[in-house]
Amino acid sequence: GLSLKEDFEHLMAAIEVAAYFRRRVVLPDTMNCANSPAFEVWRMNESLRDEPGCTYDYFAHANGLYEVYSRVKPFSVEAGLKRTEQFQALRRLQSRTLPALSDLRNSGALREEILSLQERT
């Protein structure tokens, strides 16, 4: 698992990219629960023992993130969306896999992809 800082850095980077391309990010439900400041105080170590991860809102003051990026600026949606039948159908339609971000950075393909998207808008 990532540190709390790394989890939120990845999340904010994804939201920034979504905002740039006027898309939405499905908020994660894979954050490391043990990074929550309330993990032991709220006995999450017992209640979430069988859960693979947490949503961002298990962390202090994270509700402001939802208010800004989901309600005021529509760049993210709740993690539960990915469990709906409609979302699962979209995933089944996706036929290609995306290259690793490190490969895109090293090849310059990410820059080319961003520039080509900018030209289309």
Side-chain angles (χ1 to χ4, degrees), residues 29-75:
D29 60 1
T30 56
M31 296 177 85
N32 186 348
C33 302
N35 288 332
S36 172
F39 186 69
E40 290 183 17
V41 174
W42 289 348
R43 301 171 85 182
M44 293 165 63
N45 54 325
E46 296 171 16
S47 62
L48 298 174
R49 182 176 306 135
D50 299 325
E51 295 294 322
C54 287
T55 56
Y56 77 96
D57 54 333
Y58 278 87
F59 302 93
H61 303 294
N63 195 39
L65 184 134
Y66 176 78
E67 290 297 318
V68 172
Y69 293 105
S70 295
R71 295 181 62 155
V72 178
K73 301 175 184 178
F75 301 125

Side-chain angles (χ1 to χ4, degrees), residues 8-28:
F8 273 92
E9 284 175 348
H10 282 83
L11 175 57
M12 293 311 300
I15 290 173
E16 287 176 15
V17 170
Y20 183 82
F21 290 114
R22 293 177 174 76
R23 299 289 187 259
R24 290 192 171 111
V25 169
V26 177
L27 294 170

